[in-house]
Coordinates of all heavy atoms in Angstrom, one line a residue:
V30 N 164.5 76.6 173.9 CA 164.2 75.2 173.9 C 163.5 74.8 175.2 O 163.9 75.4 176.3 CB 165.4 74.3 173.6 CG1 165.9 74.5 172.2 CG2 166.5 74.5 174.6
L31 N 162.6 73.8 175.2 CA 162.0 73.3 176.4 C 163.0 72.4 177.1 O 163.4 71.4 176.6 CB 160.7 72.6 176.1 CG 159.9 72.1 177.3 CD1 159.4 73.2 178.1 CD2 158.7 71.2 176.8
L32 N 163.4 72.8 178.3 CA 164.3 72.0 179.1 C 163.6 70.9 179.9 O 164.0 69.7 179.9 CB 165.1 72.9 180.0 CG 166.3 72.4 180.7 CD1 167.4 72.3 179.7 CD2 166.8 73.4 181.8
R33 N 162.5 71.3 180.5 CA 161.8 70.4 181.4 C 160.3 70.9 181.5 O 160.1 72.1 181.4 CB 162.5 70.4 182.7 CG 161.9 69.4 183.7 CD 162.6 68.1 183.9 NE 164.0 67.9 184.3 CZ 164.8 67.2 183.6 NH1 164.5 66.7 182.4 NH2 166.1 67.0 184.0
S34 N 159.4 70.0 181.7 CA 158.0 70.4 181.9 C 157.4 69.5 183.0 O 157.6 68.3 183.2 CB 157.3 70.1 180.6 OG 156.0 69.9 180.7
F35 N 156.7 70.2 183.9 CA 156.0 69.6 185.1 C 154.6 69.9 185.1 O 154.2 71.0 184.8 CB 156.6 70.1 186.4 CG 158.1 69.9 186.6 CD1 159.0 70.9 186.4 CD2 158.6 68.7 186.9 CE1 160.4 70.8 186.6 CE2 160.0 68.4 187.1 CZ 160.9 69.5 186.9
D36 N 153.7 68.9 185.4 CA 152.3 69.1 185.5 C 151.8 69.2 186.9 O 152.3 68.5 187.8 CB 151.6 68.0 184.7 CG 151.8 68.1 183.2 OD1 151.8 69.3 182.7 OD2 151.9 67.1 182.6
W37 N 150.8 70.0 187.1 CA 150.1 70.1 188.4 C 148.6 70.0 188.1 O 148.1 70.3 187.0 CB 150.4 71.4 189.1 CG 149.9 71.5 190.5 CD1 148.9 72.3 191.0 CD2 150.2 70.6 191.6 NE1 148.6 72.1 192.3 CE2 149.4 71.1 192.7 CE3 151.1 69.6 191.8 CZ2 149.5 70.5 194.0 CZ3 151.2 69.0 193.1 CH2 150.4 69.4 194.1
N38 N 147.8 69.5 189.1 CA 146.4 69.2 188.9 C 145.5 70.4 189.0 O 144.3 70.3 189.1 CB 145.9 68.1 189.8 CG 146.2 68.4 191.2 OD1 146.5 69.5 191.6 ND2 146.2 67.3 192.1
D39 N 146.1 71.6 189.0 CA 145.3 72.8 189.0 C 146.1 73.9 188.3 O 147.3 73.8 188.1 CB 144.9 73.3 190.4 CG 143.6 74.0 190.5 OD1 143.4 74.9 189.6 OD2 142.8 73.8 191.4
G40 N 145.4 75.0 187.9 CA 146.1 76.1 187.2 C 147.2 76.6 188.1 O 147.1 76.7 189.3
L41 N 148.3 77.0 187.4 CA 149.5 77.6 188.1 C 149.4 79.1 187.7 O 149.4 79.5 186.5 CB 150.8 77.0 187.6 CG 151.0 75.5 187.9 CD1 152.3 75.0 187.3 CD2 151.0 75.3 189.4
F42 N 149.5 80.0 188.8 CA 149.3 81.4 188.5 C 150.6 82.2 188.6 O 150.6 83.3 188.0 CB 148.3 81.9 189.6 CG 146.9 81.6 189.4 CD1 146.1 81.1 190.5 CD2 146.3 81.7 188.2 CE1 144.8 80.8 190.3 CE2 145.0 81.3 187.9 CZ 144.2 80.9 189.0
D43 N 151.6 81.7 189.3 CA 152.8 82.5 189.4 C 154.0 81.6 189.7 O 153.8 80.4 190.1 CB 152.6 83.5 190.6 CG 153.6 84.7 190.5 OD1 154.3 84.8 189.5 OD2 153.6 85.5 191.4
V44 N 155.2 82.1 189.5 CA 156.4 81.3 189.6 C 157.5 82.2 190.1 O 157.6 83.4 189.7 CB 156.7 80.5 188.3 CG1 157.0 81.5 187.2 CG2 157.9 79.6 188.5
T45 N 158.4 81.7 190.9 CA 159.6 82.5 191.4 C 160.8 81.6 191.4 O 160.7 80.4 191.9 CB 159.3 83.2 192.7 OG1 160.4 84.0 193.1 CG2 159.0 82.1 193.8
W46 N 161.9 82.0 191.0 CA 163.2 81.3 191.1 C 163.7 81.4 192.4 O 163.7 82.4 193.1 CB 164.2 81.8 190.1 CG 164.0 81.4 188.7 CD1 163.4 82.1 187.7 CD2 164.3 80.1 188.1 NE1 163.4 81.4 186.5 CE2 164.0 80.2 186.7 CE3 164.9 78.9 188.5 CZ2 164.1 79.1 185.8 CZ3 165.1 77.9 187.7 CH2 164.7 78.0 186.3
S47 N 164.4 80.3 192.9 CA 165.1 80.4 194.1 C 166.3 81.4 194.0 O 166.9 81.5 192.9 CB 165.7 79.0 194.5 OG 166.8 79.1 195.4
E48 N 166.6 82.1 195.0 CA 167.8 83.0 194.9 C 169.1 82.3 195.4 O 170.1 82.9 195.3 CB 167.5 84.2 195.8 CG 166.4 85.1 195.3 CD 166.8 85.9 194.0 OE1 168.0 86.3 193.9 OE2 165.9 86.1 193.2
N49 N 169.0 81.1 195.9 CA 170.2 80.4 196.3 C 170.5 79.1 195.7 O 171.5 78.4 196.0 CB 170.2 80.3 197.9 CG 169.2 79.3 198.3 OD1 168.2 79.0 197.6 ND2 169.3 78.8 199.6
N50 N 169.6 78.7 194.7 CA 169.8 77.4 194.0 C 169.2 77.5 192.6 O 168.0 77.6 192.5 CB 169.2 76.2 194.8 CG 169.4 74.9 194.1 OD1 169.6 74.8 192.9 ND2 169.3 73.8 194.9
E51 N 170.0 77.5 191.6 CA 169.6 77.8 190.3 C 168.6 76.7 189.7 O 168.0 76.9 188.7 CB 170.8 77.9 189.3 CG 171.6 76.7 189.2 CD 172.8 76.8 188.3 OE1 173.4 77.9 188.3 OE2 173.2 75.9 187.6
H52 N 168.5 75.6 190.4 CA 167.7 74.5 189.9 C 166.3 74.5 190.6 O 165.4 73.7 190.2 CB 168.3 73.1 190.2 CG 169.6 72.9 189.5 ND1 169.7 72.9 188.1 CD2 170.9 72.8 189.9 CE1 170.9 72.7 187.7 NE2 171.7 72.7 188.8
V53 N 166.1 75.4 191.6 CA 164.8 75.3 192.4 C 163.9 76.5 192.0 O 164.4 77.6 191.9 CB 165.2 75.3 193.9 CG1 163.9 75.4 194.7 CG2 165.9 74.0 194.2
L54 N 162.6 76.2 191.9 CA 161.6 77.2 191.8 C 160.4 76.8 192.5 O 160.1 75.7 192.8 CB 161.4 77.6 190.3 CG 161.6 76.7 189.2 CD1 160.4 75.7 189.2 CD2 161.6 77.4 187.9
I55 N 159.5 77.9 192.8 CA 158.3 77.6 193.5 C 157.1 78.2 192.6 O 157.3 79.3 192.1 CB 158.3 78.3 194.9 CG1 159.4 77.7 195.7 CG2 156.9 78.2 195.5 CD1 159.4 78.3 197.2
T56 N 156.1 77.4 192.5 CA 154.9 77.9 191.8 C 153.7 78.1 192.8 O 153.7 77.5 193.9 CB 154.4 76.9 190.7 OG1 154.4 75.6 191.2 CG2 155.4 77.0 189.5
S57 N 152.7 78.8 192.4 CA 151.5 79.0 193.3 C 150.3 78.6 192.4 O 150.3 78.9 191.2 CB 151.4 80.4 193.8 OG 151.2 81.3 192.8
S58 N 149.3 78.0 193.0 CA 148.3 77.3 192.3 C 146.8 77.7 192.6 O 146.6 78.2 193.7 CB 148.5 75.8 192.5 OG 147.4 75.1 192.0
G59 N 145.9 77.4 191.7 CA 144.5 77.6 191.9 C 143.9 76.9 193.1 O 142.8 77.2 193.6
D60 N 144.6 75.8 193.5 CA 144.0 75.0 194.6 C 144.5 75.6 196.0 O 144.3 74.9 197.0 CB 144.3 73.5 194.5 CG 145.8 73.3 194.5 OD1 146.6 74.2 194.8 OD2 146.2 72.1 194.1
G61 N 145.2 76.7 196.0 CA 145.7 77.3 197.2 C 147.1 76.8 197.6 O 147.6 77.3 198.7
S62 N 147.7 75.9 196.9 CA 149.0 75.4 197.3 C 150.1 76.0 196.6 O 150.0 76.6 195.6 CB 149.0 73.8 197.1 OG 148.9 73.5 195.7
L63 N 151.3 75.8 197.3 CA 152.6 76.2 196.6 C 153.3 74.9 196.4 O 153.3 74.0 197.2 CB 153.4 77.1 197.6 CG 152.8 78.3 198.1 CD1 153.9 79.1 199.0 CD2 152.3 79.2 197.1
Q64 N 154.1 74.9 195.3 CA 154.9 73.7 194.9 C 156.3 74.1 194.7 O 156.6 75.1 194.1 CB 154.4 73.1 193.6 CG 152.9 72.7 193.6 CD 152.0 73.9 193.4 OE1 152.4 74.9 192.8 NE2 150.8 73.8 193.8
I65 N 157.2 73.3 195.3 CA 158.7 73.5 195.1 C 159.1 72.4 194.1 O 158.9 71.2 194.2 CB 159.5 73.3 196.4 CG1 159.0 74.3 197.4 CG2 161.0 73.5 196.1 CD1 159.9 74.4 198.7
W66 N 159.8 72.9 193.0 CA 160.3 72.0 191.9 C 161.8 72.1 191.8 O 162.4 73.1 192.1 CB 159.7 72.4 190.6 CG 158.2 72.6 190.6 CD1 157.5 73.8 190.9 CD2 157.2 71.6 190.3 NE1 156.2 73.6 190.8 CE2 155.9 72.3 190.4 CE3 157.2 70.3 189.9 CZ2 154.7 71.6 190.2 CZ3 156.0 69.6 189.7 CH2 154.8 70.3 189.8
D67 N 162.4 71.0 191.3 CA 163.8 71.0 191.1 C 164.0 70.6 189.6 O 163.7 69.5 189.2 CB 164.5 69.9 192.0 CG 166.0 69.9 191.9 OD1 166.5 70.4 190.8 OD2 166.7 69.4 192.8
T68 N 164.6 71.6 188.9 CA 164.7 71.3 187.4 C 165.7 70.2 187.1 O 165.8 69.7 186.0 CB 165.1 72.6 186.7 OG1 166.4 73.0 187.1 CG2 164.1 73.7 186.9
A69 N 166.5 69.8 188.1 CA 167.5 68.8 187.8 C 166.8 67.4 187.9 O 167.4 66.4 187.5 CB 168.6 68.8 188.9
K70 N 165.6 67.4 188.4 CA 164.8 66.1 188.5 C 163.7 66.0 187.4 O 163.2 67.1 187.1 CB 164.2 66.0 189.9 CG 165.3 65.9 191.0 CD 164.6 65.7 192.4 CE 165.6 65.3 193.4 NZ 166.8 66.1 193.6
T71 N 163.4 64.8 187.0 CA 162.4 64.7 186.0 C 161.0 64.7 186.6 O 160.0 65.1 185.9 CB 162.5 63.4 185.2 OG1 162.6 62.3 186.1 CG2 163.8 63.5 184.3
K72 N 160.8 64.3 187.8 CA 159.5 64.3 188.5 C 159.5 65.3 189.6 O 160.5 65.7 190.2 CB 159.2 62.9 189.0 CG 159.0 61.9 187.8 CD 158.0 60.8 188.2 CE 157.5 60.0 187.0 NZ 158.5 59.7 185.9
G73 N 158.3 65.6 190.0 CA 158.2 66.6 191.1 C 156.7 66.6 191.6 O 155.9 65.8 191.1
P74 N 156.4 67.5 192.4 CA 157.2 68.5 193.1 C 158.0 67.9 194.3 O 157.6 66.8 194.8 CB 156.3 69.5 193.6 CG 155.0 68.8 193.7 CD 155.0 67.7 192.7
L75 N 159.0 68.6 194.7 CA 159.8 68.1 195.9 C 158.9 68.3 197.2 O 159.0 67.5 198.1 CB 161.0 69.0 196.1 CG 162.1 69.1 195.1 CD1 163.2 70.0 195.5 CD2 162.7 67.7 194.9
Q76 N 158.1 69.3 197.2 CA 157.4 69.7 198.4 C 156.1 70.4 198.0 O 156.1 71.2 197.0 CB 158.3 70.6 199.3 CG 157.6 71.1 200.5 CD 158.3 70.5 201.8 OE1 159.4 70.1 201.7 NE2 157.5 70.4 202.8
V77 N 155.0 70.2 198.7 CA 153.8 71.0 198.5 C 153.4 71.6 199.8 O 153.3 70.9 200.8 CB 152.7 70.1 197.9 CG1 151.4 70.9 197.7 CG2 153.1 69.5 196.6
Y78 N 153.1 72.9 199.8 CA 152.5 73.6 201.0 C 151.0 73.9 200.7 O 150.7 74.7 199.8 CB 153.2 74.9 201.2 CG 154.7 74.8 201.4 CD1 155.6 75.6 200.8 CD2 155.2 73.9 202.4 CE1 157.0 75.5 201.0 CE2 156.6 73.8 202.7 CZ 157.4 74.6 202.0 OH 158.8 74.6 202.2
K79 N 150.2 73.3 201.5 CA 148.7 73.6 201.3 C 148.2 74.2 202.5 O 147.8 73.5 203.5 CB 148.0 72.3 200.9 CG 146.5 72.4 200.7 CD 146.2 73.0 199.3 CE 144.7 73.0 199.1 NZ 144.0 74.1 199.8
E80 N 148.2 75.6 202.5 CA 147.6 76.3 203.7 C 146.5 77.3 203.3 O 145.6 77.5 203.9 CB 148.7 77.0 204.5 CG 149.5 76.0 205.3 CD 150.5 76.7 206.3 OE1 150.2 77.8 206.7 OE2 151.6 76.1 206.5
H81 N 146.8 78.0 202.1 CA 145.8 79.0 201.7 C 144.5 78.3 201.4 O 144.5 77.2 200.9 CB 146.3 79.7 200.4 CG 147.3 80.7 200.7 ND1 147.1 81.9 201.5 CD2 148.6 80.8 200.3 CE1 148.2 82.6 201.5 NE2 149.2 82.0 200.8
T82 N 143.4 78.9 201.7 CA 142.1 78.3 201.5 C 141.4 78.6 200.2 O 140.4 78.1 199.8 CB 141.1 78.7 202.7 OG1 141.0 80.2 202.7 CG2 141.6 78.2 204.0
Q83 N 142.1 79.6 199.4 CA 141.6 79.9 198.1 C 142.9 80.0 197.2 O 144.0 79.8 197.6 CB 140.8 81.2 198.1 CG 139.4 81.0 198.8 CD 138.6 82.3 198.7 OE1 138.4 82.8 197.6 NE2 138.1 82.7 199.8
E84 N 142.6 80.4 195.9 CA 143.7 80.5 195.0 C 144.9 81.2 195.5 O 144.8 82.3 196.1 CB 143.3 81.3 193.7 CG 142.3 80.6 192.8 CD 140.9 80.6 193.2 OE1 140.6 81.0 194.3 OE2 140.1 80.2 192.3
A85 N 146.1 80.6 195.4 CA 147.4 81.3 195.7 C 147.8 81.9 194.4 O 148.3 81.3 193.5 CB 148.4 80.2 196.2
Y86 N 147.7 83.3 194.4 CA 147.8 84.0 193.1 C 149.2 84.6 192.9 O 149.5 84.9 191.8 CB 146.7 85.1 193.2 CG 146.3 85.5 191.8 CD1 145.6 84.6 191.0 CD2 146.5 86.7 191.2 CE1 145.1 84.9 189.8 CE2 146.1 87.1 190.0 CZ 145.4 86.1 189.2 OH 145.0 86.4 188.0
S87 N 150.0 84.6 194.0 CA 151.2 85.3 193.9 C 152.3 84.6 194.7 O 152.0 84.2 195.8 CB 151.0 86.7 194.3 OG 152.3 87.4 194.6
V88 N 153.5 84.5 194.2 CA 154.6 84.0 195.0 C 155.9 84.7 194.7 O 156.1 85.0 193.5 CB 154.7 82.4 194.9 CG1 155.1 82.0 193.5 CG2 155.7 81.9 195.9
D89 N 156.8 85.0 195.7 CA 158.0 85.7 195.4 C 159.1 85.3 196.4 O 158.8 85.0 197.6 CB 157.8 87.2 195.5 CG 158.9 88.1 194.9 OD1 159.5 87.6 193.9 OD2 159.1 89.2 195.4
W90 N 160.3 85.2 195.9 CA 161.4 84.8 196.7 C 162.3 86.0 197.1 O 162.6 86.8 196.2 CB 162.3 83.8 195.9 CG 163.2 82.9 196.8 CD1 164.3 83.4 197.6 CD2 163.2 81.5 196.9 NE1 164.9 82.3 198.2 CE2 164.3 81.1 197.7 CE3 162.5 80.5 196.3 CZ2 164.6 79.8 198.1 CZ3 162.8 79.2 196.6 CH2 163.8 78.8 197.5

Side-chain angles (χ1 to χ4, degrees):
V30 294
L31 182 65
L32 193 69
R33 185 96 60 232
S34 154
F35 299 104
D36 289 323
W37 186 248
N38 52 18
D39 208 318
L41 297 176
F42 287 135
D43 201 7
V44 61
T45 183
W46 282 101
S47 161
E48 291 289 326
N49 67 341
N50 182 334
E51 63 182 38
H52 298 295
V53 172
L54 27 74
I55 298 185
T56 49
S57 66
S58 171
D60 61 11
S62 66
L63 306 183
Q64 303 79 25
I65 300 186
W66 310 89
D67 185 339
T68 62
K70 296 183 164 54
T71 51
K72 293 212 164 39
L75 298 179
Q76 179 112 26
V77 178
Y78 299 131
K79 178 79 175 77
E80 287 188 29
H81 285 298
T82 57
Q83 291 184 50
E84 285 85 345
Y86 209 64
S87 166
V88 65
D89 195 32
W90 199 298

